Amino acid sequence: MAASKKAVLGPLVGAVDQGTSSTRFLVFNSKTAELLSHHQVEIKQEFPREGWVEQDPKEILHSVYECIEKTCEKLGQLNIDISNIKAIGVSNQRETTVVWDKLTGEPLYNAVVWLDLRTQSTVESLSKRIPGNNNFVKSKTGLPLSTYFSAVKLRWLLDNVRKVQKAVEEKRALFGTIDSWLIWSLTGGVNGGVHCTDVTNASRTMLFNIHSLEWDKQLCEFFGIPMEILPNVRSSSEIYGLMKAGALEGVPISGCLGDQSAALVGQMCFQNGQAKNTYGTGCFLLCNTGHKCVFSDHGLLTTVAYKLGRDKPVYYALEGSVAIAGAVIRWLRDNLGIIESSEEIEKLAKEVGTSYGCYFVPAFSGLYAPYWEPSARGIICGLTQFTNKCHIAFAALEAVCFQTREILDAMNRDCGIPLSHLQVDGGMTSNKILMQLQADILYIPVVKPSMPETTALGAAMAAGAAEGVGVWSLEPEDLSAVTMERFEPQINAEESEIRYSTWKKAVMKSMGWVTTQSPESGIP
């Protein structure tokens, strides 16, 4: 026992992984990247109206404290001294928008989640003001004008929530994405909390110039956003401040990455052309494009991948985003009640082994890449009297794989070098049927690391490697080799193509569903 106790005494690094459906805190050994312990808490989503998605910022913050305390207790039970935790990284759901009062520390409204659609008419009226021949928003930010990003959510809050307007007038409002809200709160909040974000999160607001790496005056004027409420932009790996409360008081917070960038780092995709796909609430395929911004002709986003240190170069990525992946499983559980737990879907799908011609397009929040079609809505088609819940479950899993294939096709066209395999991570990758389906539909091998928590790992790596912490080496020769599980395609290419073209037909049927937007203003 004594020997194994010593074995884990290398410096440890913690990571907060604050996602759309849950919060986790995980602790890694910085020398071996081994996951030692973790704790997870599910987060409530509120749907006050159709298309609206909100969360309580205080619930999110409390869940972070709870996960940290519980993980520290578990480490104690394993005889691991928590004083070995030398740094904490933060990874977060991106674009979700919070405005809070810097004098009281209270949120001024619920967090407006990235999936939320209430800003559709804001987007429509703003897009009329962009000259056709000069889309300065896209050329500066790499992003299409969409309900997805923070600037339009913030604009909506400024237009519709009196408490927010008043706090801005009285110079006590702060804006941030979830990373900023957490770092400010964890480093002291009203008592000297640090108001910052990192380049990856800033690059998802639509207010940040991805070339100059700073907030852009022209963009802030276009969206009517007062610059003084914005956080300071820092690199993804540096000491931002120290934990001011709880079991880890005094430990530096020294890593910050939007969840998809964190997964790219955790999957060690440090070379130009390396790509990963994360299966969470949504699905996000990122391809490292090195030091240059590659703009897509096929509906992908250009985004900041990471900047691992103040004096380190910035890396960019091409990204394809699918709004609904794991969220479709949660919907089958919570809305339709055809499964009681998310794990059950694999059992149902396995029973039939086919969707029997049933296709499911989960366009609950419109379609993201490569279509950017906000008028689309979810459909299940190809139903017959023979169709049962097992076929619908199978079709839901296939939908995740088809959406990924559309993005991979777009990426291959933009990069000109088709991917030879796909590296995957995220909660849904434990579903073996999904992984096999993904290999079949892409017709290339799918490769999954034995430790799927790569988002948290990426945040931990950034935190541990920060100047002044220095317990995690990011030199290629020092990165521990990860064991992988491979899924090879098992159907013939022709069958794969037929299924894919039928899926495309279903997507076309989901479009143009919403013709008049529901009124946006007025708080429920």
Side-chain angles (χ1 to χ4, degrees):
M1 180 63 212
S4 70
K5 210 169 115 179
K6 284 203 176 72
V8 290
L9 289 183
L12 311 180
V13 179
V16 172
D17 179 3
Q18 206 298 300
T20 316
S21 48
S22 71
T23 298
R24 288 179 295 185
F25 184 69
L26 305 91
V27 173
F28 297 91
N29 180 331
S30 67
K31 295 288 173 252
T32 61
E34 179 196 357
L35 174 60
L36 299 177
S37 187
H38 68 99
H39 188 77
Q40 178 166 1
V41 173
E42 197 167 298
I43 299 285
K44 280 202 288 291
Q45 295 184 24
E46 296 170 33
F47 306 98
R49 289 191 188 182
E50 193 197 342
W52 292 32
V53 191
E54 297 179 1
Q55 288 175 332
D56 176 354
K58 290 174 81 170
E59 185 197 341
I60 290 175
L61 179 61
H62 291 315
S63 72
V64 169
Y65 279 120
E66 185 186 337
C67 288
I68 290 175
E69 298 303 311
K70 290 277 198 307
T71 304
C72 288
E73 282 168 27
K74 290 178 184 177
L75 289 170
Q77 289 158 10
L78 295 167
N79 291 325
I80 296 170
D81 187 347
I82 61 171
S83 68
N84 286 314
I85 297 175
K86 301 303 182 198
I88 294 169
V90 173
S91 139
N92 57 288
Q93 50 167 316
R94 302 170 304 168
E95 301 95 16
T96 296
T97 299
V98 189
V99 181
W100 67 94
D101 186 321
K102 66 179 174 192
L103 303 181
T104 65
E106 290 294 310
L108 297 164
Y109 188 76
N110 269 345
V112 180
V113 177
W114 57 277
L115 280 166
D116 188 280
L117 289 176
R118 75 188 66 185
T119 51
Q120 189 49 44
S121 66
T122 312
V123 167
E124 284 165 11
S125 60
L126 283 167
S127 55
K128 293 192 179 98
R129 293 175 35 210
I130 297 181
N133 57 351
N134 170 24
N135 188 342
F136 66 93
V137 175
K138 188 154 193 223
S139 58
K140 284 174 185 251
T141 65
L143 310 173
L145 193 55
S146 158
T147 57
Y148 183 15
F149 307 107
S150 316
V152 288
K153 300 179 195 303
L154 181 51
R155 182 66 259 153
W156 185 91
L157 290 168
L158 291 167
D159 288 339
N160 294 287
V161 183
R162 183 65 197 122
K163 275 167 84 173
V164 172
Q165 296 161 351
K166 205 164 173 323
V168 169
E169 287 157 17
E170 293 169 8
K171 303 257 184 278
R172 51 190 172 79
L174 296 178
F175 151 79
T177 40
I178 296 294
D179 56 307
S180 301
W181 163 244
L182 292 179
I183 291 173
W184 183 82
S185 303
L186 297 173
T187 57
V190 293
N191 302 310
V194 178
H195 188 217
C196 68
T197 187
D198 88 301
V199 287
T200 67
N201 281 296
S203 78
R204 313 295 293 189
T205 59
M206 251 182 352
L207 300 169
F208 184 72
N209 187 315
I210 60 174
H211 310 285
S212 66
L213 301 185
E214 48 196 18
W215 299 121
D216 189 286
K217 200 161 172 295
Q218 185 190 10
L219 290 169
C220 290
E221 281 167 6
F222 176 72
F223 289 105
I225 306 295
M227 290 182 85
E228 66 271 12
I229 71 174
L230 303 178
N232 290 319
V233 182
R234 315 270 286 267
S235 79
S236 313
S237 174
E238 58 179 90
I239 295 175
Y240 312 110
L242 306 181
M243 286 286 286
K244 284 294 192 293
L248 298 180
E249 191 173 345
V251 176
I253 299 177
S254 53
C256 177
L257 289 153
D259 51 10
Q260 304 313 323
S261 286
L264 195 73
V265 171
Q267 284 265 34
M268 326 277 177
C269 294
F270 294 128
Q271 303 293 316
N272 192 339
Q274 284 184 302
K276 67 89 207 167
N277 196 27
T278 299
Y279 297 76
T281 298
C283 233
F284 301 89
L285 184 64
L286 267 72
C287 181
N288 188 330
T289 62
H291 302 306
K292 62 176 189 296
C293 285
V294 174
F295 283 89
S296 169
D297 297 323
H298 304 98
L300 304 179
L301 312 176
T302 305
T303 201
V304 174
Y306 52 82
K307 183 183 192 308
L308 294 174
R310 234 178 284 195
D311 308 319
K312 295 283 195 297
V314 65
Y315 281 75
Y316 294 96
L318 267 179
E319 171 173 341
S321 331
V322 169
I324 304 287
V328 74
I329 315 300
R330 194 169 171 161
W331 182 82
L332 290 176
R333 184 191 75 185
D334 298 348
N335 295 33
L336 291 197
I338 70 171
I339 49 174
E340 276 175 30
S341 71
S342 301
E343 291 69 45
E344 249 178 87
I345 191 155
E346 190 169 1
K347 207 165 82 227
L348 286 187
K350 198 172 184 170
E351 247 171 74
V352 284
T354 169
S355 69
Y356 203 77
C358 166
Y359 285 80
F360 189 161
V361 182
F364 301 156
S365 300
L367 288 165
Y368 284 14
Y371 301 103
W372 298 104
E373 185 47 77
S375 72
R377 282 299 172 274
I379 60 164
I380 302 177
C381 54
L383 302 175
T384 66
Q385 280 172 307
F386 182 70
T387 311
N388 63 29
K389 66 180 184 180
C390 299
H391 299 118
I392 290 174
F394 195 95
L397 294 180
E398 273 195 320
V400 175
C401 301
F402 286 131
Q403 293 182 100
T404 300
R405 161 106 190 238
E406 295 197 289
I407 286 175
L408 198 73
D409 285 358
M411 205 154 275
N412 287 341
R413 289 200 294 270
D414 281 324
C415 295
I417 308 159
L419 290 180
S420 57
H421 64 273
L422 183 63
Q423 287 176 233
V424 301
D425 58 77
M428 291 182 84
T429 59
S430 60
N431 184 324
K432 288 196 168 10
I433 288 201
L434 178 74
M435 294 294 93
Q436 185 55 54
L437 266 176
Q438 189 65 86
D440 289 347
I441 286 167
L442 295 178
Y443 216 66
I444 56 173
V446 165
V447 181
K448 173 193 159 191
S450 54
M451 199 284 296
E453 302 295 349
T454 48
T455 301
L457 178 60
M461 288 164 67
E467 196 181 327
V469 178
V471 298
W472 205 306
S473 165
L474 298 183
E475 296 304 322
E477 62 274 13
D478 297 331
L479 293 171
S480 32
V482 186
T483 49
M484 298 286 191
E485 187 178 357
R486 273 175 88 88
F487 294 85
E488 300 283 346
Q490 285 177 359
I491 61 172
N492 65 40
E494 194 184 353
E495 191 188 333
S496 181
E497 287 309 315
I498 291 168
R499 276 155 67 176
Y500 184 47
S501 60
T502 315
W503 155 263
K504 291 262 202 205
K505 209 160 90 181
V507 171
M508 289 307 153
K509 293 194 186 310
S510 76
M511 289 191 193
W513 197 259
V514 182
T515 43
T516 53
Q517 287 304 326
S518 51
E520 291 188 0
S521 54
I523 305 301

